[in-house]
Amino acid sequence: MDSYDPFRPHLEKALNYSAEPFLRQQEGSERLEPDQSPLTFHDRHVSAKLSCQRVINFPEIGEVLAKVCDETIAQFYAEGYKFSPTKYLVSEKESPFSVIGLLDDARNMNRRYKRSAGHFSSLFASTFFHSEIPWSFIFDLIWNYTENSFVSESTLDVFPERLTIGMSQNVAQNQIIQEEVEMLSLARRMSPHIALWQFFPLSTAGKLIVQRMANDHFQWQIPRTKGITNTSLAEVPQDVRGFPWNPEHNKLEQVLTLTHRKTKSLPDILLSQKKSRRVSIARKSHRVAKRRIDIDQYIQHAWARAVETDSTFLVFNCGMYERIGIRHRESQTLYLSSLIDPVKCRDPAYGKLHIGLHTAIAEDMTERFVKMRAPKRIKVAHSTHNDESVKQVALLTLKYGVYCSPAPATFLRIGNSFAHGVNEHFKPTKKSHFRPSEYFELVLEAPFDDDSVGVAHPAMLSITLESGETLQQDIVVKFAFSAEQHARLRDEYRIYTHLAYSKDIVEGILPVHGLFEDQDSETLALVMDHGGQSLRQLNQSSPYRRDDFKVKEITSCHHALRNIHKAGVRHRNIGPDNILIDDAQSATIIGFGSAVVDEQQGSRKYLKEMRRLGAAFLGNHVDPEFWASD
């Protein structure tokens, strides 16, 4: 670097940056402990080929990332580029204002990093990626804010549109920029998040998790159902080869050879099951005990999130300590750095380490995402049967994307079925072992667009009769994960209960086969028939369908809404996403999460719903407030 380079002081300050020391801990911070397991429902259903099998210490990570930083800067200058000091805007130090909750909780550790090392490191990585457009923030650290004070997540995301801001009159240069925008857009469609940060509080529990992560006895948790084993569906994504952060290039060949031998090779088929004559289910514990901190669960949750985003790099940070992880896909191994102190880190300095980290993330993303293509969906045939409506156990398997449940999740019935012709009230069973004819199976595909209550998936339901014959049916499973979603899904189920027990049969609503609860995560699932595609989807795929079809659709839907109103229910969220049309142009109305029982059938609010129904079919309202829930 030229000693007279005006940017030199800024560069040296960034490279030598260390985090500000914590002068004191706020009263109460030491008591910050987790109040729930970090594992989500989906974390236990990651494909066996994609799960983490071992955690290994990789002390060379800091040295490797520092080398990435040094070599990238040297190449930047060798190619004739210079840093522009005019648009390099970096805060001198962390602002003490706008503290969320306790000063030392996970959200503030997240914010502290984002506004310091996370900020300037992504700036440098963006400039290295496209040197013609400096400080473009193509890569930006995004805080996924929640109310959780013990675990807070940020992701490094891709913003290709920011490159176009710097396009000039140079046609050749603009062509290069456009090609890079297209490449980055492809990467963002595959996964908008390319690296993952997990922050913990500066408390005894938070520090303990980061300190003790590198252990030799890691255990991945799967659903506790016994008697059915699923063979993995997903193919293993490729690791980037030839880059210095790949563990294969850093004295770990012997370890990798051993881990490769331990990794089982599974056949690449859609879904293969090994099924015993009896299935054993586990039940949730009702004992109230102090929650033990299971460090493996925090590793599993972070790894599962990295699998979802196909990220290579994971960072664990509690403010005082940090570890950088590399997800090696082929050996299913998480390589963790030695413990890093953001305040005292000197060789390399914390700033150089993280500029190298963000640069490595960008290079890894570029190499892996260029040739990716979107996966194809699988369609299944439709048939009908109601035997599932009296069974108390649903064994649920995820089969899409990165998910292929190693064992199915056990969902126990907690609510009656309201399917046509089913009048039985269920009685909770205390059994733990079931024959195939005593449970039904659900295999879920990728979810529809997010529902206002939870997340809904198309699924294939399979029932084995006493005769051994297997029947299948297209079905929809709607999940509720959080406490708020639980409350709304139970409200929706209560509306279906009210409609089912009204004095007249209410037509135009889907048969509901019951409400179920997962015994591992307490996730709720509402199981119902598949009613076709939404009116919005139909209008997009077949905007010019025959007029007599449209008349049948709106007549059927009008009749359904009148029946719902007659039963004393006001939907409060009628719109093109909550109207389903089947192949016979029959309509059903869904999405009762905002509905209320309202006996004033002649009220203006009922008339407003009828107007909204007409607008949904005619498409003559674009005002978002018109479609907002009442």
Side-chain angles (χ1 to χ4, degrees):
M1 183 195 302
D2 188 340
S3 59
Y4 299 103
D5 187 335
F7 190 76
R8 180 172 184 147
H10 300 289
L11 180 59
E12 290 182 347
K13 187 173 184 178
L15 292 174
N16 295 319
Y17 169 84
S18 59
E20 300 231 349
F22 293 92
L23 299 178
R24 65 180 180 84
Q25 286 187 282
Q26 189 174 357
E27 184 178 352
S29 296
E30 285 297 310
R31 296 193 297 272
L32 282 170
E33 293 188 354
D35 57 4
Q36 60 186 2
S37 167
L39 290 184
T40 67
F41 170 75
H42 289 86
D43 292 345
R44 293 182 174 90
H45 293 266
V46 170
S47 164
K49 282 187 174 180
L50 303 177
S51 63
C52 181
Q53 297 300 311
R54 59 198 64 79
V55 178
I56 293 179
N57 192 37
F58 181 10
E60 292 91 347
I61 287 180
E63 177 186 335
V64 167
L65 294 178
K67 185 177 180 182
V68 169
C69 178
D70 288 337
E71 291 181 350
T72 305
I73 292 174
Q75 182 180 357
F76 180 85
Y77 279 112
E79 292 177 355
Y81 295 108
K82 289 187 177 181
F83 294 107
S84 169
T86 56
K87 296 182 180 180
Y88 179 71
L89 303 175
V90 176
S91 300
E92 290 297 314
K93 59 182 180 179
E94 166 64 16
S95 168
F97 302 108
S98 304
V99 172
I100 302 165
L102 289 172
L103 179 64
D104 302 326
D105 84 15
R107 294 167 294 180
N108 290 314
M109 297 304 105
N110 192 336
R111 192 159 110 323
R112 184 174 189 253
Y113 175 79
K114 175 177 170 55
R115 294 185 177 182
S116 54
H119 177 78
F120 66 72
S121 296
S122 54
L123 262 180
F124 276 102
S126 299
T127 299
F128 295 146
F129 182 85
H130 199 296
S131 305
E132 301 286 351
I133 306 176
W135 318 128
S136 60
F137 266 131
I138 310 165
F139 307 107
D140 203 354
L141 201 65
I142 302 301
W143 181 8
N144 302 326
Y145 180 82
T146 69
E147 294 297 325
N148 189 338
S149 63
F150 193 81
V151 181
S152 183
E153 180 182 287
S154 279
T155 55
L156 193 66
D157 291 5
V158 187
F159 296 92
E161 65 278 3
R162 295 179 181 177
L163 273 179
T164 61
I165 297 174
M167 293 180 74
S168 65
Q169 301 299 318
N170 188 318
V171 176
Q173 182 182 339
N174 287 349
Q175 179 64 32
I176 295 173
I177 293 174
Q178 192 58 46
E179 290 175 359
E180 290 181 342
V181 168
E182 291 175 2
M183 185 276 290
L184 287 172
S185 298
L186 173 63
R188 186 167 65 177
R189 286 198 297 274
M190 296 298 99
S191 179
H193 315 304
I194 59 174
L196 184 72
W197 275 255
Q198 298 271 302
F199 292 90
F200 304 98
L202 187 62
S203 65
T204 301
K207 289 184 284 189
L208 182 73
I209 290 172
V210 180
Q211 284 176 309
R212 298 187 180 178
M213 275 187 165
N215 64 76
D216 299 326
H217 306 288
F218 175 75
Q219 186 68 44
W220 184 272
Q221 296 184 19
I222 65 173
R224 295 177 292 160
T225 307
K226 305 295 184 184
I228 295 180
T229 303
N230 295 319
T231 295
S232 178
L233 167 67
E235 295 181 358
V236 180
Q238 295 297 306
D239 294 290
V240 173
R241 300 188 181 278
F243 282 92
W245 55 85
N246 190 317
E248 293 176 331
H249 297 274
N250 290 279
K251 305 175 185 178
L252 288 172
E253 294 88 346
Q254 185 177 357
V255 175
L256 280 169
T257 301
L258 293 173
T259 57
H260 286 177
R261 288 173 186 164
K262 295 177 183 178
T263 303
K264 296 181 179 179
S265 178
L266 299 176
D268 295 328
I269 54 180
L270 289 180
L271 180 65
S272 175
Q273 282 189 337
K274 290 183 178 180
K275 188 180 298 186
S276 303
R277 296 180 66 181
R278 287 182 180 273
V279 167
S280 300
I281 66 169
R283 297 177 183 275
K284 68 177 184 178
S285 174
H286 293 282
R287 291 183 300 174
V288 178
K290 184 176 180 179
R291 183 174 295 279
R292 181 178 65 88
I293 296 177
D294 188 337
I295 296 173
D296 286 358
Q297 290 187 349
Y298 291 92
I299 295 174
Q300 178 168 343
H301 174 66
W303 179 284
R305 287 284 294 125
V307 170
E308 291 173 6
T309 60
D310 198 17
S311 302
T312 300
F313 292 90
L314 300 84
V315 181
F316 304 92
N317 182 305
C318 70
M320 184 175 289
Y321 301 117
E322 178 179 279
R323 289 189 191 270
I324 297 173
I326 295 177
R327 183 172 74 98
H328 193 259
R329 298 160 179 80
E330 187 176 351
S331 64
Q332 297 180 267
T333 303
L334 176 63
Y335 291 97
L336 283 177
S337 71
S338 300
L339 208 59
I340 298 166
D341 186 332
V343 176
K344 300 178 180 178
C345 183
R346 292 292 180 270
D347 188 20
Y350 193 67
K352 177 181 286 190
L353 181 66
H354 277 259
I355 292 173
L357 171 64
H358 286 244
T359 303
I361 292 168
E363 292 182 14
D364 181 84
M365 179 278 302
T366 304
E367 181 70 17
R368 288 187 303 106
F369 280 120
V370 169
K371 298 180 181 179
M372 288 185 66
R373 294 293 183 267
K376 296 180 180 179
R377 291 285 304 277
I378 301 170
K379 295 185 178 180
V380 294
H382 179 78
S383 61
T384 59
H385 201 267
N386 276 339
D387 194 46
E388 74 280 357
S389 296
V390 295
K391 298 182 188 294
Q392 295 195 39
V393 178
L395 300 182
L396 188 147
T397 294
L398 302 188
K399 186 184 75 69
Y400 63 91
V402 301
Y403 301 110
C404 183
S405 310
T410 296
F411 278 75
L412 291 184
R413 183 183 293 279
I414 60 172
N416 289 318
S417 167
F418 306 123
H420 301 316
V422 178
N423 298 313
E424 295 184 37
H425 289 266
F426 86 99
K427 296 179 181 178
T429 179
K430 296 183 179 180
K431 292 174 57 176
S432 295
H433 303 279
F434 297 85
R435 292 178 288 111
S437 60
E438 295 176 319
Y439 59 82
F440 64 93
E441 296 180 69
L442 295 165
V443 178
L444 275 63
E445 295 185 36
F448 301 116
D449 291 338
D450 284 356
D451 184 85
S452 58
V453 173
V455 178
H457 293 251
M460 175 60 73
L461 180 147
S462 299
I463 304 165
T464 301
L465 304 181
E466 291 284 359
S467 63
E469 181 185 2
T470 300
L471 301 177
Q472 292 186 321
Q473 176 182 346
D474 282 323
I475 213 85
V476 169
V477 179
K478 180 184 289 187
F479 286 129
F481 303 109
S482 66
E484 180 183 358
Q485 289 177 343
H486 279 202
R488 295 193 65 189
L489 191 63
R490 288 183 183 275
D491 287 342
E492 181 168 2
Y493 178 74
R494 277 192 284 270
I495 294 296
Y496 279 115
T497 304
H498 174 85
L499 293 171
Y501 289 112
S502 62
K503 61 181 180 179
D504 297 317
I505 296 177
V506 180
E507 298 177 353
I509 61 172
L510 291 175
V512 172
H513 300 284
L515 187 64
F516 296 80
E517 183 183 43
D518 177 33
Q519 298 304 289
D520 286 315
S521 66
E522 300 185 10
T523 296
L524 296 184
L526 187 65
V527 181
M528 61 183 69
D529 274 7
H530 195 305
Q533 59 181 326
S534 71
L535 179 61
R536 184 184 302 277
Q537 293 171 328
L538 185 63
N539 286 338
Q540 290 172 349
S541 61
S542 304
Y544 304 112
R545 59 192 182 280
R546 288 165 38 182
D547 288 341
D548 59 325
F549 282 11
K550 293 181 180 180
V551 171
K552 286 181 66 177
E553 292 162 6
I554 193 168
T555 302
S556 173
C557 195
H558 188 272
H559 178 69
L561 188 56
R562 286 190 60 187
N563 279 334
I564 292 168
H565 287 172
K566 188 177 179 181
V569 171
R570 187 157 55 85
H571 189 281
R572 299 178 67 232
N573 197 19
I574 286 292
D577 294 312
N578 287 327
I579 298 169
L580 302 182
I581 307 294
D582 65 16
D583 293 338
Q585 291 79 52
S586 294
T588 50
I589 294 175
I590 61 169
F592 287 91
S594 301
V596 293
V597 176
D598 185 350
E599 302 295 343
Q600 299 179 13
Q601 296 180 24
S603 70
R604 292 182 179 178
K605 293 179 178 178
Y606 279 99
L607 297 176
K608 179 182 178 181
E609 287 201 342
M610 285 296 185
R611 289 198 302 271
R612 286 174 56 144
L613 176 65
F617 277 93
L618 297 174
N620 57 2
H621 268 279
V622 294
D623 183 0
E625 293 184 3
F626 181 80
W627 300 111
S629 298
D630 294 341

